Amino acid sequence: MSQGIGAAVKRKEDKRFTTGKGKYTDDIRMENQAYAAFVRSPHAHARVNSIDTSAAEAMDGVIAILNGAELTGDGIGNIICGWAITSKDGSPMNMGAWSALATEKTRYVGDAVAIVIAETNAQARAAAEAVDIDYEELPVAASLAAALSDGAPQIHENAPGNIVYDWEIGENEATEAALAGAAHITKMDITNNRLSPNPMEPRSAVAIYDDAEDHYTLYTTSQNPHVARLVLSAFYNVAPEHKLRVIAPDVGGGFGSKIYIYPEEIACLWASMKTNRSVKWTSDRTEAFLTDAHGRDHVTKARMGFDQDGRIVGFKVSTKANFGAYMSLFSSAVPTYLYATLLSGTYNIPNIYCEVLGVYTNTVPVDAYRGAGRPEASYLVERMIETAAREMGKDPADLRNINFIREFPHQTPVIMNYDSGDFEGNMRQAMVAADWAGFGARKAESAMRGKLRGIGMSCYIEACGIAPSAAVGSLGAGVGLWESAEVRMNPVGTIEVLTGSHSHGQGHETTFAQVVADRFGVPIDTVQIVHGDTDKVQFGMGTYGSRSGPVGMSAIVKALDKLEVKIRKLAAHLLEASEADIVIEDGQVKVDGTNKVLAWHEVGLAAYTGHNLPEGMEPGLKEGAFYDPLNFTFPMGCFICEVEVDPQTGKTEILKFVASDDFGTIINPMIVDGQVHGGIAQGVGQAMLEEVRYSEDGQQLSASYMDYAMPRADDLPDFDVLHHSTPCTTNPLGMKGCGEAGAIGTPPAVINAITDAIGNNDLSMPATPAKVWAALNSATIAAE
């Protein structure tokens, strides 16, 4: 039975996870371990006048209480944003200072002010409650509207009007001219609701300082441990890079929220040095709501123009992006180069212009969350074209079809160059599976029962495998976005792959092993994937943006190419044959057309004994590679959602959901389908249930699962997941990435379906029963 590329192999890693043997950061127990708790601001905007720790210091078990003045006094640097964006006028973005422990001001509820170290977690938390801080409350701007209003409080002194940047892309004059000549213009105001990432495992850190070696170790819930080490050493000055080891063990989900270095990791490392104790901190769920980077939160005005035949002639977009109180690591790029560059969608749009206003507010910082900019772009484009079809009396599928891009490569007006795709093919496959043609009969049957049935479509595209290092560097990225791999064949033939990618639910231990098995014909159980430890693995860029396949696996393929060259040369020497006649298959090395053969372990032993090597060949079998992508990859697809709405209550039930995706080459279809299922569930959550809400004074109103509605099994139907793929032309495996697609394509499909059912396009996410009922009744009143 094949275990190589294309085989639905069961995940190797699941045995330890399903039997409770996974090892997460909170499972780490060190000698001399102490516990940290953070004193956090209860105010969204306040001046810190004084900190009185006397009562807390007298409590049982308290080791130390440290504050921001001490932290900055020891030279610990401010938290950085890793992507520099330039405004329309050429000015740099206004980067407000963010200390791991606030010094003079706090800027959101949850902003850390002090760290308490104690013998037990309970003692640390109790002492944190006893720290007495004198705050002077300041006016609050907890929304985009408040932050941009006349007389709004100044959140950062160096950001007038609370503006981070005023950015643009595309040609404004050409787009306005195209819209002026349009036969029809669709206008919409669209909000993309703020979300909390909610990975299953909350963030955690265990910091260890070895005073004998002046060496630091950090166990942490990170998606990119090498980048964490780089930032902690080069920018935050916690420790020299060669004196800092970062280990990301098993990580229980991330969805982007574990890319960043947060205040807690910095403070724990520093506190470990100050106290000479190992220090552990693990977030509780409410703390996660208050401190984990949120996602989305855009408000957009858009106009899309069409000619008399329904072809799009121009698309103009104005977006306000809420960054929260501080700029996080990748936050600046999300509403710019990860959003506006995808506004062409799957359509041939000759003129596009987008302007983005980045804004500070007194809320939790906002950064990349599953899809990161791509969901916001797809939601906007697909809501616009669906609404336009209704306004013009056209079939939504037909309007999409006449606008689809059909020739590749295709250069959009907003940077991206699509290399491959069959957009109509995916749409037709989804329509057949969803029985699009039979919808009218089903709608009539629902009406007989007093229900409203609707159907909605979404044809998404995203950019993954981020991206050529020189290209992103020219756009302001602070790092390259290549990936690394090292492949070692051991003396007995087992293989170790050291990857700079990081697995936190994606199944790398299986899929990466399948690539090796496919190349050499060895069982995947003889292949070990090593990741997540900066002392074991060469520098790598980590996992985010659906890059592990197209970038991480491509690095492995390049290393395998080098290893295979050496194996062929060695085997040709041992078997007295030409390298061109050497065949590697089924875990053997053969001379084509003969019975000359070496068992796989014999090749390994020959390489490591070194008794009979070709002239000039070094012993051993180990090769490394760095892969820098030539382009983004562009997964795309068509999602169709069918819903039924109860007009008496506004409650919506999803009856059917079809996804047709183009992911290029698929390594393991079972794992890919699982990624799509999870993404769809998160997309349904955004569309119908989830929203972070704030009061006017900046208090989060949704900081628990009592108030923040996560999707449950009974909210979701069975998913019909299909594939209609075209290979990517710019990486060696032809892969496109699959991890974020479900979260990108789902929200517009769901909202398009609900608005079709209720006959009112003016519906914002999340489409709760109350919102749907109100929209339905306003449409009914308008009709009367």
Side-chain angles (χ1 to χ4, degrees), residues 270-538:
W270 171 69
S272 179
M273 181 273 294
K274 296 290 281 187
T275 61
N276 203 21
R277 298 284 297 269
S278 64
V279 174
K280 172 186 276 191
W281 168 81
T282 299
S283 169
D284 63 28
R285 191 57 68 180
T286 293
E287 206 169 13
F289 275 107
L290 293 176
T291 61
D292 290 3
H294 291 167
R296 317 287 194 253
D297 206 344
H298 286 189
V299 174
T300 296
K301 289 183 177 293
R303 291 181 291 152
M304 183 176 282
F306 299 80
D307 67 16
Q308 64 272 19
D309 297 319
R311 298 187 187 279
I312 305 170
V313 296
F315 188 26
K316 184 166 184 177
V317 176
S318 179
T319 294
K320 296 180 176 68
N322 188 342
F323 283 127
Y326 302 102
M327 297 298 291
S328 181
L329 190 63
F330 281 162
S331 60
S332 60
V334 174
T336 51
Y337 293 113
L338 298 180
Y339 161 71
T341 56
L342 273 299
L343 288 175
S344 192
T346 55
Y347 310 113
N348 188 2
I349 306 178
N351 301 287
I352 301 174
Y353 175 77
C354 178
E355 57 185 359
V356 177
L357 196 67
V359 182
Y360 287 119
T361 63
N362 292 120
T363 61
V364 172
V366 175
D367 209 317
Y369 168 66
R370 198 170 190 172
R374 283 72 55 84
E376 296 92 316
S378 286
Y379 186 73
L380 177 60
V381 172
E382 290 303 297
R383 289 288 292 122
M384 292 291 291
I385 199 161
E386 187 88 8
T387 301
R390 295 170 187 172
E391 291 175 349
M392 292 188 286
K394 294 181 180 292
D395 182 278
D398 291 343
L399 184 61
R400 287 177 169 88
N401 195 36
I402 65 172
N403 283 287
F404 278 148
I405 296 161
R406 299 184 185 278
E407 295 183 2
F408 299 92
H410 174 83
Q411 179 63 55
T412 74
V414 280
I415 294 181
M416 295 301 183
N417 187 288
Y418 302 163
D419 69 295
S420 61
D422 178 12
F423 303 156
E424 183 179 0
N426 285 92
M427 184 179 74
R428 296 301 178 197
Q429 183 185 55
M431 290 174 71
V432 170
D435 187 19
W436 183 273
F439 173 72
R442 298 192 298 278
K443 183 178 181 71
E445 186 277 330
S446 291
M448 291 177 62
R449 294 184 286 105
K451 299 294 179 67
L452 304 173
R453 189 179 286 245
I455 194 165
M457 177 184 289
S458 165
C459 293
Y460 76 90
I461 192 166
E462 59 165 325
C464 294
I466 307 170
S469 295
V472 297
S474 70
L475 299 176
V479 294
L481 292 173
W482 44 265
E483 195 48 87
S484 68
E486 183 178 292
V487 181
R488 303 171 181 171
M489 180 174 169
N490 296 318
V492 294
T494 57
I495 295 173
E496 297 172 2
V497 177
L498 286 72
T499 173
S501 299
H502 184 272
S503 182
H504 40 277
Q506 293 87 350
H508 293 174
E509 292 174 38
T510 304
T511 54
F512 286 17
Q514 285 183 256
V515 172
V516 178
D518 192 80
R519 175 66 70 96
F520 295 139
V522 298
I524 64 169
D525 287 341
T526 65
V527 182
Q528 181 184 12
I529 308 301
V530 181
H531 65 91
D533 187 336
T534 61
D535 272 14
K536 293 181 178 179
V537 178
Q538 69 289 336

Side-chain angles (χ1 to χ4, degrees), residues 26-322:
D26 191 54
D27 295 322
I28 304 298
R29 300 287 187 272
M30 306 303 300
E31 291 184 14
N32 202 30
Q33 182 167 287
Y35 293 81
F38 286 87
V39 182
R40 301 188 182 278
S41 173
H43 307 295
H45 198 196
R47 195 173 308 282
V48 179
N49 291 328
S50 64
I51 302 174
D52 183 357
T53 62
S54 56
E57 287 174 337
M59 296 175 70
D60 289 345
V62 173
I63 299 166
I65 301 174
L66 307 169
N67 61 44
E70 294 169 288
L71 179 128
T72 56
D74 280 352
I76 304 300
N78 288 330
I79 294 172
I80 65 165
C81 179
W83 201 304
I85 299 296
T86 302
S87 288
K88 296 174 185 177
D89 62 4
S91 62
M93 66 185 189
N94 299 316
M95 179 72 183
W98 185 8
S99 173
L101 297 175
T103 53
E104 297 177 358
K105 284 175 67 175
T106 64
R107 294 178 172 87
Y108 70 97
V109 173
D111 212 350
V113 181
I115 181 174
V116 176
I117 310 300
E119 297 291 349
T120 70
N121 187 38
Q123 288 171 335
R125 285 175 174 259
E129 292 285 340
V131 174
D132 184 16
I133 300 179
D134 177 24
Y135 293 102
E136 176 190 342
E137 291 188 57
L138 301 172
V140 172
S143 66
L144 284 166
L148 295 172
S149 65
D150 292 339
Q154 188 74 31
I155 297 172
H156 290 281
E157 287 69 21
N158 64 329
N162 297 316
I163 304 299
V164 180
Y165 53 65
D166 184 4
W167 177 88
E168 65 180 350
I169 191 170
E171 298 295 331
N172 187 25
E173 289 186 9
T175 303
E176 282 288 3
L179 290 169
H184 175 84
I185 294 179
T186 291
K187 302 177 182 179
M188 294 191 77
D189 293 343
I190 288 179
T191 298
N192 209 287
N193 44 320
R194 179 183 280 231
L195 303 175
S196 178
N198 289 302
M200 186 177 295
E201 176 202 24
R203 289 190 298 115
S204 183
V206 177
I208 305 145
Y209 176 67
D210 180 350
D211 62 341
E213 300 290 338
D214 192 27
H215 186 276
Y216 297 76
T217 300
L218 175 67
Y219 289 86
T220 183
T221 47
S222 175
Q223 297 178 217
N224 47 357
H226 277 98
V227 175
R229 185 179 70 162
L230 170 65
V231 171
L232 283 164
S233 60
F235 297 98
Y236 305 153
N237 305 317
V238 173
E241 194 170 14
H242 68 293
K243 292 283 191 177
L244 174 61
R245 178 185 186 185
V246 176
I247 303 170
D250 288 330
V251 174
F255 312 124
S257 69
K258 294 175 182 174
I259 296 172
Y260 329 112
I261 301 301
Y262 288 89
E264 291 82 9
E265 291 94 335
I266 301 168
C268 284
L269 276 168
W270 171 69
S272 179
M273 181 273 294
K274 296 290 281 187
T275 61
N276 203 21
R277 298 284 297 269
S278 64
V279 174
K280 172 186 276 191
W281 168 81
T282 299
S283 169
D284 63 28
R285 191 57 68 180
T286 293
E287 206 169 13
F289 275 107
L290 293 176
T291 61
D292 290 3
H294 291 167
R296 317 287 194 253
D297 206 344
H298 286 189
V299 174
T300 296
K301 289 183 177 293
R303 291 181 291 152
M304 183 176 282
F306 299 80
D307 67 16
Q308 64 272 19
D309 297 319
R311 298 187 187 279
I312 305 170
V313 296
F315 188 26
K316 184 166 184 177
V317 176
S318 179
T319 294
K320 296 180 176 68
N322 188 342

